[in-house]
Amino acid sequence: MRSAQVYRWQIPMDAGVVLRDRRLKTRDGLFVHLQMADREGWGEIAPLPGFSRESRDDAEAALRAWSLAWRDGGEPLLPGLPSVDFGISCALAELEGTLPQEADYRAAPLCTGDPDELFAVLAAMPGEKVAKIKVGLYEAVRDGMVANLLLEAIPDLRLRLDANRAWTPLKAQQFAKYVNPAYRERIAFLEEPCKTRADSLAFARETGIAIAWDESLREDDFRFVAEPGVRAVVIKPTLTGSIAKVREQVNAAQAQGLTAVISSSIESSLGLTQLARIAAWLTPDTVPGLDTLNLMQAQLLRTWPGNTLPHLGPEALEPLL
Ligand SMILES: O=C(O)CCC(=O)C1=CC=C[C@@H](O)[C@@H]1C(=O)O
Ligand SMILES: [Mg+2]
């Protein structure tokens, strides 16, 4: 006997969360819950506005159709929408016991504004000190000064930076000018500095600051190849697709000597804890980019160890089937 349920949910976000120039007031998504005999599995389907190609309505229609077909005993193909394929593959993997329980709950602390806050967090961080800062939101010169200040003040810090393609080559140069060349090696990577890949590659060559691809992975002509100055790829499973596809991408990156970083698409705590398991399994040597739970006002179903946000149970879910 199989049963399948699809749920809708909505979580209020912290007041200041801005994504691609728009304020994200709520995070809206779906869960799928599959049961067979005494086994069960959950998966999260939450297209990220401004990043996912599919809308939430598209995702819901595809998820409903797949779930009904599976419940009726079929082995339907994954629908081919990345967020839906990711969520269904997680639910199936839990059901089949193929997603290991062990998780990597280290998260590179994410700092969008005040570097002072980051000082406190890093001072209390055991082991490898790695943090991520959003750049490109203010003046490039200010970003350069902040990065330089942090690298100077915390000698064992490695920084990940993310410009989300905000800079012209000139602005990227203005940023680099303020980062002491002696510290540049401790920029683990700067995600997508410029609008085009060619400009980003030129930036890496000219400044010695390593870059990482994130947005580029969703472009049709993107290939996993080693190029001078490229150190890492950021893999966001909700934007990628099934666990199998995520695994293929991790392998393709590692085969080229690139670091693969499993990263959040601002999933709820359910999806994030599954990403922490995927990271422990597929990229055990790399701190994942999963510090996004505190952008929300609540956790859903499963909790992230040590997180103090309120926890909402099944009563917060709206069943759709
Ligand atoms: O990668 C991380 O460390 C955290 C996730 C993160 O930075 C992002 C998640 C989703 C959308 C973006 O604003 C941002 C990114 O661009 O990588
Ligand atoms: Mg990014």
Side-chain angles (χ1 to χ4, degrees):
M1 258 295 280
R2 290 176 173 188
S3 76
Q5 182 55 281
V6 172
Y7 295 97
R8 184 157 40 202
W9 51 263
Q10 183 177 69
I11 311 173
M13 299 295 286
D14 217 44
V17 179
V18 176
L19 266 191
R20 292 261 156 89
D21 301 328
R22 47 176 137 158
R23 186 167 298 274
L24 192 66
K25 289 195 183 137
T26 60
R27 188 73 177 100
D28 298 75
L30 303 157
F31 288 153
V32 62
H33 184 207
L34 306 178
Q35 288 172 287
M36 193 163 74
D38 58 349
R39 292 176 294 146
E40 62 163 357
W42 286 85
E44 171 163 340
I45 297 89
L48 186 61
F51 287 77
S52 291
R53 289 190 188 165
E54 67 275 19
S55 68
R56 220 202 42 113
D57 286 348
D58 297 340
E60 184 180 316
L63 181 61
R64 277 174 186 264
W66 186 93
S67 301
L68 292 174
W70 184 85
R71 187 193 64 186
D72 294 342
E75 298 298 339
L77 291 177
L78 294 177
L81 305 180
S83 61
V84 185
D85 290 7
F86 172 63
I88 292 173
S89 70
C90 284
L92 287 172
E94 286 196 348
L95 189 80
E96 291 157 4
T98 53
L99 177 58
Q101 285 295 338
E102 194 198 329
D104 190 344
Y105 293 117
R106 296 173 302 166
L110 186 62
C111 170
T112 36
D114 183 359
D116 286 344
E117 276 174 27
L118 196 57
F119 273 116
V121 176
L122 290 170
M125 193 171 171
E128 192 185 349
K129 286 197 200 313
V130 49
K132 174 163 173 177
I133 308 183
K134 282 270 161 200
V135 293
L137 300 171
Y138 308 101
E139 283 303 306
V141 169
R142 179 189 184 272
D143 288 331
M145 288 176 173
V146 168
N148 195 65
L149 177 89
L150 285 164
L151 290 166
E152 185 172 58
I154 309 170
D156 54 346
L157 174 65
R158 283 168 59 78
L159 273 184
R160 296 174 178 177
L161 303 170
D162 190 352
N164 291 109
R165 299 186 163 180
W167 289 330
T168 59
L170 179 67
K171 286 207 168 157
Q173 285 298 338
Q174 286 172 346
F175 161 84
K177 211 173 112 188
Y178 284 84
V179 184
N180 184 336
Y183 301 156
R184 291 183 189 175
E185 183 51 34
R186 284 196 287 127
I187 295 181
F189 53 76
L190 165 51
E191 289 174 38
E192 306 269 353
C194 301
K195 289 186 177 53
T196 67
R197 268 189 260 156
D199 284 348
S200 291
L201 286 167
F203 167 84
R205 260 196 323 270
E206 287 157 15
T207 63
I209 295 174
I211 59 168
W213 301 128
D214 176 356
E215 283 84 345
S216 295
L217 270 64
R218 264 92 60 199
E219 291 179 338
D220 292 335
D221 62 347
F222 181 79
R223 300 284 174 273
F224 290 89
V225 286
E227 287 170 291
V230 181
R231 188 174 284 157
V233 292
V234 175
I235 298 178
K236 290 180 160 64
T238 286
L239 307 182
T240 305
S242 66
I243 295 179
K245 186 154 183 209
V246 169
R247 207 172 169 183
E248 261 170 41
Q249 293 200 346
V250 168
N251 290 340
Q254 290 175 345
Q256 293 287 324
L258 298 168
T259 301
V261 183
I262 298 291
S263 156
S264 144
S265 310
I266 323 205
E267 290 82 359
S268 77
S269 58
L270 182 118
L272 277 180
T273 52
Q274 290 178 324
L275 290 173
R277 289 160 64 191
I278 291 172
W281 176 34
L282 301 182
T283 60
D285 300 328
T286 305
V287 177
L290 300 179
D291 186 29
T292 55
L293 186 51
N294 289 314
L295 302 176
M296 298 184 179
Q297 293 185 14
Q299 313 194 64
L300 212 45
L301 295 198
R302 294 186 190 161
T303 54
W304 184 277
N307 190 283
T308 54
L309 287 174
H311 173 225
L312 306 175
E315 71 288 348
L317 307 178
E318 180 193 344
L320 297 183
L321 297 184

